[in-house]
Amino acid sequence: MSIDKTSTATEESSVENTDAAPAAVAAVDPRLLVREQGFSGYLGEFKRKMKAGDLGSIPVVVGLLIIWAIFTSLNSNFLTAGNFSDMSVAMVGTGMIAVGIVFVLLLGEIDLSVGSVSGVAGATFAVLSVTHGMNEILALVLAILTGTAAGAIHGFVFARIGVPAFAVTLAGLLFWQGFMLQILGSNGTINLDSDGVVVKLTSYYFSDVAAAYGLAIVVTAGYFLSAFFDNRRREAVGVPSRPLNEIIVRTVLLGVLAFAVAIVFNQYKGLPLAVVIFLAFLLLTDFVLRRTAYGRKIFALGGSVEASRRAGINVELVRISVFAIAGTFAAIGGLFVASKIASANQGAGTGEFLMNVIAAAVIGGTSLFGGRGRTWDALLGVMVIISIQYGLALEGIASPVQYMITGGVLLATVVIDAVTRKTQKTAGRA
């Protein structure tokens, strides 16, 4: 009888444990708990991310606001509509090249040739269209393909032969700079047609106020629809998603920012064509990195090359394509730089230009160690660089001081990146 009681008790206990087990091991996504707690939950999650080193874009945004506040207090003309519009157009050339650098940095590599490649693209267009009278559209395409070919060559030597990217692109820097000087000839400068396609890249403005406001509406509505339907897809497969009220709040904040920028543009000449093109490329590259298998392969390579190889990723092909993308964006950026000064000259892509491009990507938040970053980092970083340059220029501060300040900002960013990685490893998030 005692044995029966014991076995019965054991069976009842196992039944009770079976019923309790699901509740004990049920996994609940932390994001759901955060949202259930309301504002206090989001505040707690924010504090947790800060302690874990998950800073995101917060440091660069705060830094940009501080820079604007300082220069505005020193000179009331700093954030006027005219100066803001000029800064927006000036940042496009550097920003385009920085987008390509983001791709390379995600691999944990570096490309030192982009400055020279950008100069070659501008010179190629000028020689073909002005000196030889080629159709401007065809010359434009060939100039961009020149950058693509240069990047592919660097990538091939790096990926297939095994020469370090630093050495390959350093050699490329020297070679393409010499090539640019060679094709420009003894004169060294070729002026572009002021009514031509390339010059209009930075000189054309949509003067109708509806253009800037229309773009603000498209950007805001596009974000809302993208987030809404993305949530619908996540809910359909049982993956945690943002609640509708959070999406609405984010959309409203984006809308306020977009319309504020539109108002500023319309107080000057209108919406710059260069800014529209830059935003289009940012959206395209962001989609490629976050929404495609190719983008995931780039992030995987930045995390671990050997693991990516074992997972079946064609490491060599991805590496070559990434350097080709960097060369392409270097060429596009070079055409915008040539457009801004309406000429191609021997100084294109030289001096501090390369450092500004790399600094823009790193300051924006892309890690030098690979595997972490977004193309939007190029926008944030170049805004910091151009803001510093324009602010110091308004104060009449000499170039040497500008170099030192920019270098200090870059050093601070790299230190933050290194400290963040150590903090994430300590918190078990790396």
Side-chain angles (χ1 to χ4, degrees):
M1 179 66 69
S2 61
I3 295 175
D4 294 338
K5 287 181 179 179
T6 303
S7 61
T8 302
T10 302
E11 292 175 357
E12 291 177 353
S13 175
S14 63
V15 171
E16 292 174 359
N17 289 341
T18 301
D19 294 336
V25 299
V28 180
D29 193 285
R31 289 172 293 183
L32 297 179
L33 296 177
V34 168
R35 289 158 190 162
E36 288 176 358
Q37 295 170 4
F39 178 76
S40 61
Y42 281 103
L43 183 60
E45 177 69 1
F46 175 78
K47 292 179 180 179
R48 184 193 65 77
K49 286 184 176 181
M50 292 299 100
K51 291 180 180 179
D54 191 3
L55 302 176
S57 300
I58 293 176
V60 65
V61 172
V62 172
L64 183 62
L65 293 177
I66 292 174
I67 290 170
W68 285 358
I70 291 174
F71 284 126
T72 301
S73 65
L74 294 174
N75 193 319
S76 59
N77 293 323
F78 178 71
L79 280 182
T80 57
N83 197 56
F84 182 83
S85 181
D86 289 342
M87 287 194 298
S88 299
V89 174
M91 74 181 185
V92 174
T94 305
M96 283 288 192
I97 306 175
V99 169
I101 287 293
V102 168
F103 276 80
V104 177
L105 290 179
L106 287 175
L107 294 180
E109 304 295 340
I110 193 67
D111 189 342
L112 300 178
S113 68
V114 289
S116 296
V117 172
S118 69
V120 167
T124 300
F125 174 82
V127 170
L128 292 177
S129 64
V130 177
T131 305
H132 297 289
M134 181 181 290
N135 176 272
E136 284 197 332
I137 299 298
L138 180 57
L140 178 71
V141 172
L142 291 176
I144 294 175
L145 291 178
T146 300
T148 305
I153 292 171
H154 300 154
F156 179 85
V157 176
F158 164 58
R160 294 298 298 271
I161 301 178
V163 180
F166 177 88
V168 174
T169 57
L170 179 59
L173 181 154
L174 299 173
F175 178 85
W176 297 117
Q177 185 172 346
F179 183 74
M180 176 187 67
L181 297 177
Q182 180 67 32
I183 63 176
L184 283 175
S186 58
N187 187 30
T189 300
I190 300 177
N191 294 323
L192 302 179
D193 181 5
S194 58
D195 294 323
V197 174
V198 167
V199 173
K200 285 189 176 297
L201 289 175
T202 56
S203 65
Y204 185 81
Y205 291 78
F206 297 97
S207 56
D208 191 336
V209 295
Y213 293 134
L215 180 61
I217 292 173
V218 169
V219 169
T220 305
Y223 172 80
F224 175 79
L225 293 175
S226 175
F228 179 78
F229 286 110
D230 182 58
N231 271 15
R232 293 287 296 273
R233 289 192 297 269
R234 296 173 70 88
E235 291 172 356
V237 296
V239 178
S241 58
R242 292 191 179 101
L244 182 60
N245 59 354
E246 182 179 338
I247 295 177
I248 293 175
V249 171
R250 287 170 176 262
T251 303
V252 170
L253 292 175
L254 176 62
V256 170
L257 177 62
F259 275 92
V261 173
I263 291 173
V264 173
F265 281 147
N266 283 333
Q267 289 179 349
Y268 188 53
K269 295 180 180 180
L271 177 64
L273 173 62
V275 173
V276 176
I277 297 174
F278 189 31
L279 289 177
F281 274 108
L282 287 174
L283 289 170
L284 175 62
T285 51
D286 180 68
F287 175 83
V288 169
L289 285 178
R290 295 195 306 114
R291 301 290 185 179
T292 66
Y294 175 72
R296 289 190 288 272
K297 290 176 182 178
I298 294 175
F299 281 103
L301 276 178
S304 173
V305 175
E306 187 57 34
S308 300
R309 196 186 307 276
R310 294 184 179 184
I313 295 176
N314 190 330
V315 174
E316 293 179 352
L317 181 60
V318 173
R319 282 175 163 174
I320 293 172
S321 64
V322 165
F323 276 88
I325 289 172
T328 302
F329 276 96
I332 296 172
L335 291 172
F336 274 93
V337 172
S339 172
K340 184 66 178 174
I341 61 177
S343 67
N345 60 48
Q346 295 178 341
T350 60
E352 79 280 5
F353 186 73
L354 172 63
M355 293 300 102
N356 285 340
V357 169
I358 297 176
V362 176
I363 289 173
T366 302
S367 176
L368 283 169
F369 303 97
R372 180 168 60 83
R374 305 172 304 165
T375 52
W376 292 99
D377 294 340
L379 173 62
L380 291 173
V382 76
M383 288 175 68
V384 171
I385 296 293
I386 297 299
S387 295
I388 292 174
Q389 290 179 347
Y390 269 66
L392 295 177
L394 283 176
E395 293 302 306
I397 297 177
S399 295
V401 179
Q402 295 184 30
Y403 296 158
M404 289 187 287
I405 293 177
T406 304
V409 173
L410 177 59
L411 176 61
T413 304
V414 174
V415 169
I416 291 174
D417 183 29
V419 172
T420 296
R421 286 178 59 86
K422 290 183 179 179
T423 305
Q424 288 178 340
K425 287 182 179 179
T426 304
R429 295 175 62 86

